[in-house]
Amino acid sequence: MAQRLVLVHAHPDDETLTCGTTIAHHVARGDEVHVVTCTLGEEGEVIPPDLAGLEGHPDDLLADHRRGELAAALDALGATGHLLGHDGLGSRRYRDSGMAGSAAAARPDAFVNADLREAGAALAALLREVRPDVVITYDPQGGYSHPDHIQAHRLTRAALDQLADTELPTHTYEILTPRAWADEDRAWTRGASPAAYGLVVPGADDPHPPSVVDDERVTHVVEDPATRAAKLAALRAHATQVIVATDDLHALSNLIARRTTDREGFGRVDPRTWEPWPD
C-alpha cells in the first residue's frame, strides 16, 4: 500500500544531501513524497566562478537561481516540492538566516525570527491536506547547528502541536547518522585521493556534527543502491552549492570531501514530545 511522506528542510540542497536516497527510494516504491523547503538559501556561498555574481547580490538574485536548482533536484528525485510562503503554503516568506550572529540573522524576515505559531499553522494546513503517514525533519540541533535547521525542527514540532491526535502521522523521524557509518565514511574518503580534486578531509579525531549519534539511537535505515543515479542528478542540479567530484565523492563550498552513499539513517520519535519512540 502506497505511503505519503512529508520532509521538512531548511534550504534548497538539504533535501538531497540528507535524504536524497530516502526520497528516491520511496518514489520508486510508488509512495507519494512531499518536500517542504523553508527558505531559498539566499545566504549560500556560490561555488562556480561564472555564477559568483549571484552571491550577496542586493536583489537576492541567488534566491531565484536556487529555486530553479531545487525544482530540478526534486524532479530528479521524483518528489513534489512546497516552498514556505509560496504557492499557498502560508502567506509570509522567510529569508535564509545565515549563520548565528550574522547580519542576515538579525533581519525581521529571517527564518530564524519567524513566528512559529503562524508558520506552524501553514505547515499544519499542508499536513492536514496531505495526511502523511511519515514526517521527517532534523534533530533538535538541526543536524549541524545551523540556525535555520534548528528552526525547521521547531517549525515541524509547532505544526504537529497544532494537529489533533487523529491527524498526527503514524511515524515521525529525525535525521541521524550512526557513528560507525560516519567513521567508516571518513576513513574511506581519506583513501579516495580527495586532494586530486582540491578537496580536504577532516582529521580522524575531529568531531562529527551533532546528528552523528551512537549506533543504537538510529532506529530506521534506508539503503538502496538503485537510487544512486537519481541522487547524483539531484546533487548536480544544486551546482551553486555542491561539487560532484566523482560518483562517490562530493563537497560543499568548504571543500571538505564527503562520501556519496546510498544509505541514510533516522530515529523514530514521539511527535508530541520528540522523545525516542519506545521499542
Side-chain angles (χ1 to χ4, degrees), residues 198-220:
L199 308 179
V200 298
V201 182
D205 297 327
D206 287 356
H208 290 297
S211 57
V212 174
V213 297
D214 293 340
D215 295 6
E216 58 269 21
R217 280 192 56 196
V218 177
T219 61
H220 291 73

Side-chain angles (χ1 to χ4, degrees), residues 58-195:
D59 295 328
D60 274 346
L61 298 183
L62 183 56
D64 281 342
H65 191 90
R66 293 193 72 180
R67 185 174 186 175
E69 291 183 338
L70 175 62
L74 293 177
D75 184 62
L77 296 172
T80 299
H82 307 267
L83 280 170
L84 190 61
H86 300 254
D87 305 322
L89 185 54
S91 58
R92 191 183 300 275
R93 299 180 184 183
Y94 302 99
R95 193 177 182 279
D96 185 349
S97 307
M99 299 308 293
S102 68
R107 292 175 52 135
D109 60 349
F111 180 49
V112 75
N113 297 319
D115 180 325
L116 287 176
R117 180 156 187 84
E118 177 184 2
L123 179 56
L126 177 69
L127 296 179
R128 290 191 184 100
E129 177 186 344
V130 174
R131 297 304 298 264
D133 304 282
V134 176
V135 168
I136 298 172
T137 193
Y138 313 109
D139 66 281
Q141 296 185 75
Y144 70 108
S145 301
H146 189 292
D148 284 338
H149 286 235
I150 295 171
Q151 189 75 330
H153 166 87
R154 292 171 176 163
L155 168 70
T156 305
R157 294 190 64 178
L160 293 171
D161 285 346
Q162 295 184 42
L163 299 182
D165 288 349
T166 56
E167 297 172 320
L168 288 171
T170 306
H171 297 83
T172 306
Y173 296 102
E174 59 183 1
I175 303 164
L176 301 174
T177 300
R179 194 173 309 281
W181 286 8
D183 290 340
E184 177 186 320
D185 290 347
R186 186 174 285 184
W188 179 92
T189 304
R190 280 197 297 274
S193 303

